[in-house]
Amino acid sequence: MHLSEITHPNQLHGLSIRQLQQIARQIREKHLQTVATSGGHLGPGLGVVELTIALYQTLDLDRDKVTWDVGHQAYPHKLLTGRYHRFHTLRQKDGIAGYLKRCESKFDHFGAGHASTSISSALGMAMARDLKGDNFKVAAVIGDGALTGGMALEAINHAGHLPKTNLLVVLNDNEMSISPNVGAIPRYLNKMRLSPPMQFITDNLEEQFKHIPFVGESLTPELERVKEGMKRLAVPKVGAVFEELGFTYMGPVDGHNLEELIATFKQAHKMQGPVLVHVATVKGKGYEIAEKDQVGYHAQSPFNLATGKAVPSSKPKPPSYAKVFSHTLVKLAENNPNIVGITAAMATGTGLDKLASKLPKQYIDVGIAEQHAVTLAAGLACEGMRPVAAIYSTFLQRGYDQIVHDVCIQKLPVFFCLDRAGIVGADGPTHQGMYDIAYLRCLPNMVLMAPKDEAELQQMIVTGVNYTDGPIAMRYPRGNGYGVPLMEEGWEELPIGKAEILRQGDDVLLLGYGSMVYPAMQAAEILSEHGIEATVVNARFAKPLDTELILPLAQQIGRVVTLEEGCIIGGFGSAVAESLLDNHLMVPITRIGVPDVLVDHATPEQSMAELGLTPSQIAERVRKSFSPQLSAVMG
């Protein structure tokens, strides 16, 4: 059987180990060819090929449920569930999603783009099954990196309290999240990997007791206690922690040995209550280059499969915002030992790996634990440090309660740096940075700013580090800057809440925030070709707004347009509209941004065009919005 013939995972049933090994090779070939061509996550999926095949060979996926922790390790799952012939469209507009989506396949039982969710969702499914009197298996596959997230530990704590709720947790332990894991839990798991496999005491023990002369049935009331005691003797010392938490522990199991995996999963399915199967895997398995560079090949842009090298760009690109952020922060930290960079397992993505390399004492990686990261930063701020929490916009949502209670209420000077703010492209709805303006703007004591380009980013980093009156947040987009000149030092901080006029005109006022300032300037040029002259303002701050500049201009010009790369509801445009209303200025206003929709996976350019956020679309919308008024002005 060829992988292309598999449209349902139950087709794995009855296949020999040799046939399953052939399927495994074909999965790796298709995985590598696709990601090399179009880009995507590489190492995670390559590491779970045998795990996926073995698990699905022991389940009936017409009934049984599987949840995957962060869908980028579920590419083999997609290839085994009828998506082989469309897999080449991975992460492309209208193609296969890079993460699990319930609307994409009946086999995607739970969608996930953020880590540490699988055990909670699987436990919910298992409890629903029991409440309805149903009878199917539920499994959660979680990586050791995701196990550092507090939510996963909360779910383990709950599941361990339910000895009659059957749940299988498969721990995919490759010693990595994106970067090497940090903390006590990964250190503990590493000890487990090095332990001898657990030899399980089966229920045959009971029958053996019954055949002991003069004992027979007389030991039955005490039998369970004896069995449990003997079983604990068989558990490696380090595995006993999971046993104490209420789980039956099995492992560690070789994650690339199909026979051993299948036998272990079959045994696990027979156990009552929560079971944890500890599977040791190699991230990037089967592609030597990825095995040797597990951080670099977690995800890749298109690359040459033979050499592993990225396909070169057709023309040189300006530095990315993340690179400029990293370089600037390191420069500032070298002269200020109180600056401490904090990441939640995203050192490479945020650029803080450079800080870790240059100034390791001023760098903290907390693992996948955004809530802890925020309150840790608050504690550092209490003692006079200058914490810089570099967290993607989409992931900072996970620490919202801590931002409110531990930072804003106490007015602590934490500097939040929100990378990947706005449209991020191929990762889809779970990773789009759409909501940070709205969810932070409503919080007392919070200051919000966004740079128009990479040079202003440098100034805002200085501003954020020096601001001590409370929390301050800076959002900046994924991708490259505009190629404007940068400075090595001597950056000046910006006055809080002050905007700047970039272009003057009498017909319409364009207020751009962050990444939408340059599109506003381009739209103004297009409008000028139609005889409409626009004033363009770089707002810089969404909170506090520069009302001293904006309100007189709004009153004078009489037509206002706001532009932002984020959700319109509660965003920058709402802030401007509220300010006009509060100051009794009845001025027509058009808010341009992301409407109340989920932005699916596509290139950023495709998403911007679909949402009407290109300069030409902005210009056309301005003309339509104020057509009668502008005609009168131009007439």
Side-chain angles (χ1 to χ4, degrees), residues 314-366:
S314 56
K315 57 181 180 180
K317 292 182 179 179
S320 68
Y321 280 92
K323 187 173 182 178
V324 174
F325 166 77
S326 169
H327 177 75
T328 307
L329 186 65
V330 169
K331 285 279 187 182
L332 293 173
E334 285 174 337
N335 296 314
N336 185 349
N338 287 336
I339 293 175
V340 178
I342 302 169
T343 181
M346 302 296 287
T348 306
T350 59
L352 284 188
D353 56 332
K354 303 299 187 296
L355 182 67
S357 175
K358 289 280 186 73
L359 302 165
K361 290 184 178 179
Q362 292 172 249
Y363 163 82
I364 301 170
D365 184 353
V366 300

Side-chain angles (χ1 to χ4, degrees), residues 72-92:
H72 58 50
Q73 67 173 329
Y75 288 3
H77 156 83
K78 287 178 180 268
L79 287 168
L80 291 170
T81 51
R83 285 169 272 189
Y84 176 91
H85 294 289
R86 294 192 65 226
F87 198 67
H88 66 281
T89 67
L90 183 71
R91 291 161 51 90
Q92 299 172 37

Side-chain angles (χ1 to χ4, degrees), residues 23-34:
I23 295 294
R25 283 194 293 272
Q26 292 163 14
I27 288 175
R28 285 197 169 92
E29 289 170 6
K30 185 67 171 177
H31 190 335
L32 282 164
Q33 290 167 0
T34 301

Side-chain angles (χ1 to χ4, degrees), residues 507 530-532 559 622-635:
D507 299 327
H530 292 84
I532 302 167
R559 287 166 291 278
V622 170
R623 290 175 63 200
K624 286 183 177 179
S625 295
F626 303 115
S627 181
Q629 296 170 305
L630 290 173
S631 296
V633 170
M634 294 162 56

Side-chain angles (χ1 to χ4, degrees), residues 71-394:
H72 58 50
Q73 67 173 329
Y75 288 3
H77 156 83
K78 287 178 180 268
L79 287 168
L80 291 170
T81 51
R83 285 169 272 189
Y84 176 91
H85 294 289
R86 294 192 65 226
F87 198 67
H88 66 281
T89 67
L90 183 71
R91 291 161 51 90
Q92 299 172 37
K93 190 175 186 297
D94 301 322
I96 297 295
Y99 297 89
L100 299 191
K101 293 181 73 174
R102 282 170 56 85
C103 61
E104 183 176 289
S105 168
K106 68 177 183 178
F107 299 113
D108 289 5
H109 299 123
F110 195 80
H114 291 185
S116 313
T117 63
S118 62
I119 305 177
S120 296
S121 56
L123 181 58
M125 293 175 186
M127 294 176 74
R129 171 200 64 202
D130 295 349
L131 286 168
K132 294 193 295 184
D134 213 332
N135 182 28
F136 56 83
K137 299 180 182 70
V138 180
V141 184
I142 184 168
D144 53 321
L147 200 63
T148 64
M151 186 176 174
L153 302 178
E154 291 170 18
I156 287 173
N157 177 64
H158 187 195
H161 186 62
L162 302 171
K164 294 184 179 180
T165 300
N166 292 343
L167 172 69
L168 172 61
V169 175
V170 181
L171 174 57
N172 168 34
D173 179 8
N174 60 23
E175 302 181 278
M176 301 284 289
S177 49
I178 293 177
S179 302
N181 287 319
V182 297
I185 292 173
R187 185 172 67 242
Y188 167 76
L189 291 176
N190 189 50
K191 288 182 182 178
M192 296 172 74
R193 286 172 69 97
L194 301 175
S195 301
M198 174 183 159
Q199 301 302 312
F200 222 83
I201 306 291
T202 72
D203 287 336
N204 288 336
L205 181 67
E206 184 169 357
E207 291 302 314
Q208 294 167 24
F209 267 109
K210 289 179 180 178
H211 289 93
I212 296 175
F214 308 109
V215 175
E217 299 292 329
S218 63
L219 235 171
T220 302
E222 301 297 325
L223 191 56
E224 288 302 318
R225 188 183 304 169
V226 174
K227 283 170 59 182
E228 286 302 310
M230 293 186 70
K231 191 176 78 170
R232 290 197 185 286
L233 292 175
V235 178
K237 180 180 178 183
V238 289
V241 169
F242 285 108
E243 292 273 333
E244 291 296 337
L245 289 171
F247 276 73
T248 298
Y249 172 83
M250 301 178 72
V253 183
D254 181 353
H256 303 293
N257 184 321
L258 279 166
E259 284 185 281
E260 187 177 349
L261 285 165
I262 290 169
T264 304
F265 288 141
K266 284 182 177 178
Q267 182 68 26
H269 294 321
K270 297 176 183 177
M271 303 294 168
Q272 184 174 17
V275 179
L276 186 138
V277 174
H278 183 184
V279 181
T281 62
V282 176
K283 190 172 183 179
K285 179 72 174 178
Y287 185 50
E288 187 178 358
I289 297 170
E291 289 185 35
K292 289 181 177 178
D293 183 7
Q294 295 183 346
V295 175
Y297 286 83
H298 171 80
Q300 270 287 357
S301 53
F303 66 98
N304 183 300
L305 200 51
T307 65
K309 293 183 179 179
V311 176
S313 174
S314 56
K315 57 181 180 180
K317 292 182 179 179
S320 68
Y321 280 92
K323 187 173 182 178
V324 174
F325 166 77
S326 169
H327 177 75
T328 307
L329 186 65
V330 169
K331 285 279 187 182
L332 293 173
E334 285 174 337
N335 296 314
N336 185 349
N338 287 336
I339 293 175
V340 178
I342 302 169
T343 181
M346 302 296 287
T348 306
T350 59
L352 284 188
D353 56 332
K354 303 299 187 296
L355 182 67
S357 175
K358 289 280 186 73
L359 302 165
K361 290 184 178 179
Q362 292 172 249
Y363 163 82
I364 301 170
D365 184 353
V366 300
I368 301 176
E370 291 84 2
Q371 293 176 312
H372 169 56
V374 173
T375 304
L376 175 76
L380 287 162
C382 284
E383 297 304 310
M385 304 299 285
R386 303 299 307 120
V388 179
I391 302 174
Y392 290 5
S393 169
T394 183

Side-chain angles (χ1 to χ4, degrees), residues 598-621:
L598 293 171
V599 181
D600 220 332
H601 55 280
T603 66
E605 293 77 17
Q606 287 172 328
S607 294
M608 293 290 276
E610 194 167 280
L611 295 166
L613 298 179
T614 67
S616 60
Q617 290 170 319
I618 292 167
E620 182 63 21
R621 182 157 175 200

